[in-house]
Amino acid sequence: MKCRFTFLIFFLIVFMAVSAASQTTIHSPYLRNPDNAIGYVDSCAQFWLNTWDESSGGFYTNINKYGNVITGYGTNKNMLTQARNAYGLVRAFMLTGDTTYLSLAGKALNFMYQHAWDLNYGGWYQELDKNGNALYPFSDKTAFYQHYAMLGIMAYYEATGDTTAWNWLMKSYDHLEARFWDSRPAYSGYYDATNYLGGNPYNKSFNATVDAVTTHLLYLYLLTEDPAYKSRLEEMAREIIDHLAASMPAQAMGFVEHYDSNWNWDNSETMTIMGHVLKSGWCLARIYQNDPDTSYISTAKKLIGNVWEKGYDHEFGGPYKDFNRVTGEMLLWGLPDTAKAWWQMEQAVTAGLQMFDITADSLYLRMADESLDFFMNYFVDRQYGEVYSDRTRYGKMAWNEDKGNGGKAGYHSIELGYYAYLYGKLFVKNEPAILHYYFFPSPEQREILLTPLAIKDTELEIRSVYREGQNYANFDSRNRMLTLPAGTGGHFVVTFGRVPATIIAGRDNPVLPESMELYQNYPNPFNPTTTIGFMLPKPGFVTLKIYDVLGKEVATLVSGRLATGEYEYQWNAGKLASGIYYYRLQSDNIAQTRKLILLK
């Protein structure tokens, strides 16, 4: 009964999502046709290529609207710029397949490794000069920078399996844990800052908490399944709920963002940022998809709902920028009009698509669609590439049209396109999505988990893999696991899709060998005939059916009552196209499903 109920709930969620998407009028061309996001990402990545310093290495930080260095602001190379541009260029490679982007991402990270790490006391410097020298080596180190240093490294490792990137991830994470983690049970969490020696840690904040989720913790847990990372994720979720969200009822809007070391509110800072509230919501939603605690998703709804009700432009679309949390007054920073920020628009798009995937509530799809439509119409520079930092609610210039500074690089603009493409293809349009990887050869065999949305999403599977233009069959579709024998590497093109409901029903039911056992088919891959065997310990009504990747039944090998015993059935797929198929054995309330590959 539980198996049927689980499938029924899943089927209803899928049905509601498809129905909601089909009944909601989608305005943005980037959700109507998510492939448009690839061209947008390509134009952003091209812009940042021009900001690379060929002579000394590294990306310049202060960039005007044309892509030129603003020398009046200095020729520094902020560490954050390197990490964020590396992240953006990795994602651009994954969408476009252009290895130029991946190569430059690697060079940016090497610049970081060589210049931005404090060799004496550990941790990452924040500001570097043109030649990579630390500008303020005795300044405090912040969790914000320590987290975001890992952003580009994590993405590069995900796309390449590069061992150097992994070693730097571990080095960074170990420093973070040793110097920034507050292990006191009543006050646990990452401190906001330490001194340059890595001592005297102090304060807590939104940045020290939520940014840990997006920059490294989710991917580290998924790629390793190490319970230590899961424990940290659960800690971050509890802190979002127990401190950030818990402060909301006493505020006019938003939440408290700054705290002392004991999680007491810092009332000298009253700003609440709509992008931070949205980000806290979708991070909880993403943790929920890896660890389904209902308090995570209920709090995510409260956080995102707070912005929707109090800090969102319902006339033109998208969240407003900053507010005073105590009075609810919008902070205009000298503007005569309202303001919206590029990165906060991304949070609305991501939060909307993430929550629509989970809840099938068309309200979230509407928020993502409206925000994305405004963003693409008014933030994107169609002439010179990339996006402006800030616009008014009417799409006009806010303060200036510069495109690079200490907080702005290629991260948010490209990530917006990356998520718009993946969620748009997979969950709005219900179409396959294609990503590129370039795995470096290793002397040992590897099994690589591909997790494009950083979630344990049982709705996703690998549909096909090509290596250097040739079909590659060494992968586990359902577990999204790519197997690379020793010495194997190269450019891989992977197609992902949603698992059909008919297949998920079989996969989600428990596998009980004492009731029946489905053997692996042989040969697999096959052409055009394969044999499927199973063992039935007791008599029962049995069906053995074949499905294609869209869940369409293509063959029935058994449908009737069978006696106890072992059975083998041959299937000839001579009239079908090459590809992935699934065979599903069902007897009474027990079902098992496995993959087979037809290669002609």
Side-chain angles (χ1 to χ4, degrees):
M1 185 67 184
K2 182 179 179 181
C3 301
R4 291 180 176 178
F5 182 73
T6 300
F7 172 57
L8 178 61
I9 293 298
F10 170 78
F11 178 79
L12 288 173
I13 290 174
V14 171
F15 177 78
M16 290 166 61
V18 172
S19 299
S22 62
Q23 294 174 12
T24 301
T25 301
I26 297 176
H27 299 280
S28 173
Y30 292 83
L31 286 183
R32 290 203 304 268
N33 181 12
D35 288 320
N36 288 335
I38 299 175
Y40 156 74
V41 165
D42 191 43
S43 70
C44 290
Q46 283 290 327
F47 178 89
W48 295 110
L49 291 186
N50 299 325
T51 69
W52 176 260
D53 181 358
E54 290 289 353
S55 61
S56 303
F59 286 102
Y60 289 108
T61 292
N62 299 305
I63 306 297
N64 66 15
K65 69 176 292 185
Y66 309 107
N68 301 319
V69 180
I70 307 174
T71 55
Y73 295 168
T75 56
N76 65 309
K77 295 171 180 173
N78 191 305
M79 185 278 291
L80 199 68
T81 303
Q82 315 311 312
R84 289 184 163 186
N85 278 350
Y87 175 93
L89 291 175
V90 169
R91 295 301 187 218
F93 158 72
M94 293 177 74
L95 285 187
T96 67
D98 189 337
T99 55
T100 302
Y101 298 144
L102 191 65
S103 175
L104 197 54
K107 290 180 180 179
L109 294 177
N110 285 331
F111 184 84
M112 276 179 55
Y113 304 155
Q114 293 170 18
H115 300 288
W117 183 259
D118 185 342
L119 296 175
N120 295 315
Y121 306 109
W124 298 95
Y125 293 124
Q126 299 180 12
E127 296 284 349
L128 306 175
D129 68 13
K130 175 182 170 61
N131 297 314
N133 301 307
L135 286 174
Y136 310 108
F138 304 116
S139 295
D140 288 353
K141 294 185 171 102
T142 66
F144 175 76
Y145 270 81
Q146 306 310 308
H147 288 330
Y148 270 101
M150 287 187 267
L151 178 78
I153 305 174
M154 188 74 252
Y156 192 76
Y157 176 75
E158 180 194 356
T160 66
D162 178 51
T163 55
T164 298
W166 178 257
N167 291 336
W168 276 101
L169 273 175
M170 293 300 95
K171 191 173 185 176
S172 302
Y173 185 78
D174 289 345
H175 177 82
L176 186 71
E177 290 293 300
R179 302 297 186 178
F180 283 82
W181 182 253
D182 183 351
S183 60
R184 295 176 299 161
Y187 308 110
S188 63
Y190 288 113
Y191 285 109
D192 202 45
T194 70
N195 62 23
Y196 75 96
L197 299 169
N200 296 326
Y202 59 92
N203 292 352
K204 306 279 171 60
S205 70
F206 160 87
N207 290 113
T209 304
V210 179
D211 287 336
V213 177
T214 54
T215 57
H216 60 282
L217 276 179
L218 274 166
Y219 280 104
L220 284 175
Y221 168 54
L222 285 173
L223 294 176
T224 66
E225 295 188 342
D226 186 330
Y229 299 129
K230 182 179 182 182
S231 176
R232 278 290 176 267
L233 275 178
E234 291 171 344
E235 289 268 8
M236 296 303 101
R238 294 315 324 167
E239 287 162 19
I240 293 172
I241 294 170
D242 294 343
H243 300 296
L244 305 185
S247 73
M248 291 172 66
Q251 315 305 316
M253 64 188 308
F255 54 51
V256 178
E257 301 205 9
H258 296 272
Y259 303 79
D260 69 12
S261 296
N262 295 333
W263 285 110
N264 297 307
W265 298 357
D266 177 0
N267 288 318
S268 67
E269 175 57 80
T270 58
M271 181 170 66
T272 184
I273 301 173
M274 294 299 94
H276 286 175
V277 181
L278 289 167
K279 186 174 184 179
S280 299
W282 71 257
C283 281
L284 273 180
R286 186 168 285 180
I287 297 172
Y288 168 80
Q289 289 186 290
N290 294 293
D291 179 18
D293 183 322
T294 55
S295 67
Y296 299 167
I297 196 66
S298 62
T299 306
K301 291 178 180 179
K302 291 178 183 177
L303 288 161
I304 297 169
N306 183 267
V307 175
W308 178 257
E309 294 170 10
K310 299 181 178 182
Y312 186 88
D313 184 353
H314 291 282
E315 183 177 0
F316 296 101
Y320 292 118
K321 195 171 183 289
D322 308 326
F323 288 83
N324 182 305
R325 62 177 169 82
V326 177
T327 66
E329 179 186 6
M330 189 180 297
L331 303 177
L332 297 180
W333 311 112
L335 283 182
D337 192 11
T338 52
K340 299 173 182 177
W342 90 106
W343 70 269
Q344 301 198 45
M345 299 293 287
E346 188 224 337
Q347 305 309 314
V349 173
T350 302
L353 293 173
Q354 177 91 19
M355 293 294 286
F356 175 68
D357 168 27
I358 297 172
T359 68
D361 188 335
S362 60
L363 179 148
Y364 297 116
L365 181 59
R366 176 184 167 190
M367 179 171 70
D369 178 44
E370 290 177 353
S371 300
L372 184 60
D373 199 41
F374 186 95
F375 181 89
M376 290 297 181
N377 282 326
Y378 299 109
F379 276 85
V380 178
D381 184 346
R382 304 290 176 185
Q383 184 174 4
Y384 299 107
E386 242 295 312
V387 305
Y388 302 116
S389 295
D390 304 283
R391 301 314 245 177
T392 70
R393 71 186 301 246
Y394 304 106
K396 304 298 183 182
M397 183 180 75
W399 295 277
N400 60 61
E401 294 189 330
D402 296 338
K403 293 176 182 166
N405 55 49
K408 185 179 184 301
Y411 166 39
H412 294 288
S413 55
I414 291 178
E415 185 173 68
L416 179 145
Y418 178 78
Y419 284 140
Y421 171 76
L422 285 178
Y423 278 106
K425 292 286 280 189
L426 294 166
F427 296 102
V428 177
K429 302 293 289 183
N430 195 22
E431 298 173 351
I434 298 172
L435 290 178
H436 297 259
Y437 298 83
Y438 195 101
F439 293 111
F440 299 119
S442 170
E444 300 177 350
Q445 176 168 303
R446 292 170 291 170
E447 288 191 337
I448 299 174
L449 174 67
L450 303 183
T451 175
L453 289 171
I455 52 178
K456 262 187 179 175
D457 196 338
T458 53
E459 293 182 51
L460 291 186
E461 65 182 358
I462 297 176
R463 294 280 177 85
S464 68
V465 179
Y466 283 84
R467 173 182 173 270
E468 300 295 342
Q470 300 297 314
N471 194 34
Y472 187 83
N474 202 354
F475 64 91
D476 181 337
S477 173
R478 301 293 288 285
N479 293 312
R480 300 201 305 275
M481 193 73 70
L482 186 67
T483 299
L484 301 184
T488 300
H491 189 157
F492 290 79
V493 181
V494 182
T495 300
F496 297 91
R498 289 176 69 179
V499 178
T502 53
I503 301 300
I504 288 183
R507 191 275 319 281
D508 283 348
N509 285 333
V511 177
L512 301 177
E514 66 270 19
S515 299
M516 64 180 185
E517 184 174 355
L518 182 62
Y519 301 130
Q520 184 69 32
N521 69 294
Y522 60 91
N524 188 21
F526 70 99
N527 178 28
T529 303
T530 188
T531 299
I532 300 171
F534 61 90
M535 183 272 291
L536 199 66
K538 62 181 181 179
F541 189 89
V542 176
T543 60
L544 178 60
K545 298 183 178 184
I546 314 292
Y547 299 88
D548 65 16
V549 292
L550 297 178
K552 178 183 178 182
E553 182 183 323
V554 297
T556 298
L557 303 186
V558 180
S559 181
R561 188 170 183 83
L562 295 179
T564 300
E566 294 189 13
Y567 295 86
E568 288 190 346
Y569 290 87
Q570 218 177 52
W571 181 46
N572 190 319
K575 295 183 179 181
L576 296 175
S578 295
I580 298 170
Y581 296 85
Y582 296 94
Y583 54 105
R584 181 171 184 255
L585 177 69
Q586 183 165 354
S587 177
D588 297 325
N589 292 329
I590 307 301
Q592 298 176 35
T593 305
R594 290 189 178 179
K595 178 184 70 177
L596 51 105
I597 301 172
L598 173 60
L599 288 179
K600 291 187 174 181

